[in-house]
Amino acid sequence: MTWKEFIEKEMKKTYFQNLTAFVKSEYTHFVCFPAYDEIFNAYKLTPLDKVKVVILGQDPYHNPGEAHGLAFSVKCQKIPPSLKNIYKEMENDLGIEIKQDGDLSYLGQQGVFLLNTTLTVRLNEPLSHKDKGWEEFTDNTIRLLNEVKSPIVFILWGNKAISKVKLLNNPNHLVLTSPHPSPLGAYRGFFGSKPFSKCNDFLKSKGISPIKWIKA
């Protein structure tokens, strides 16, 4: 199956039709993020058969010029606090220096699927599109990834993401969990969790090329 086939299958379901009506209304009457044509960017950037790693976020950034359909990634060079902490852990974990421009598309191009559990949000209203149907869509996404035979690393940060462990029971995959990289969670166990080296060690042990976490 491809992401296109998966999305087309979901679109036929009642929950998705209701979700589509809600999202169209929101984008008509309010400022929402990401841009309408960027909502499914993660699916466009990382084909299903190329996924090596899944990093799961919550909902998109809700400030202008930031969200572009990839979890934790921003289009602008103003780095949000969670992403700053992700870069900091990358540097400490891997002993490398990160060029911090905020855009994580280079990871998506290597097979890192940057998924939020909710794909849209209103301006300055975090979680405003919660419980409208996106969670069913992204849960079904995770279920499909769980069924993939080739090994995948699932990186789950924070309680919201960790709650998805119940959807993951394929012994071929590796699940890494830690507190969220936000300022509230970073010092409670995110820093020092070494997800990036653990991820690459696992991929290499399975004969899969590791992720180049540093941007070329």
Side-chain angles (χ1 to χ4, degrees), residues 33-68:
F33 302 114
Y36 195 80
D37 62 353
E38 294 180 331
I39 292 173
F40 294 101
N41 264 4
Y43 296 81
K44 296 173 187 174
L45 185 62
T46 312
L48 176 57
D49 63 353
K50 302 296 184 186
V51 175
K52 300 177 182 179
V53 182
V54 178
I55 295 180
L56 191 61
Q58 190 161 297
D59 67 342
Y61 297 118
H62 52 85
N63 297 315
E66 294 184 343
H68 62 128

Side-chain angles (χ1 to χ4, degrees), residues 120-133:
T120 56
V121 70
R122 268 192 212 175
L123 169 67
N124 294 332
E125 294 187 40
L127 300 176
S128 49
H129 289 182
K130 181 177 177 287
D131 299 329
K132 301 297 182 182

Side-chain angles (χ1 to χ4, degrees), residues 1 3-21 24 36 40 133-134 136-137 140-141:
M1 181 178 281
W3 285 134
K4 184 175 182 291
E5 291 168 340
F6 166 74
I7 292 171
E8 287 174 350
K9 181 181 176 183
E10 295 301 301
M11 286 173 67
K12 295 174 183 176
K13 299 178 181 179
T14 300
Y15 90 86
F16 197 93
Q17 292 165 3
N18 293 337
L19 171 62
T20 298
K24 285 182 177 178
Y36 195 80
F40 294 101
W134 280 129
E136 184 167 352
F137 177 77
N140 289 343
T141 297

Side-chain angles (χ1 to χ4, degrees), residues 171-186:
N172 293 335
H173 304 326
L174 174 68
V175 180
L176 300 174
T177 64
S178 81
H180 196 274
S182 69
L184 288 175

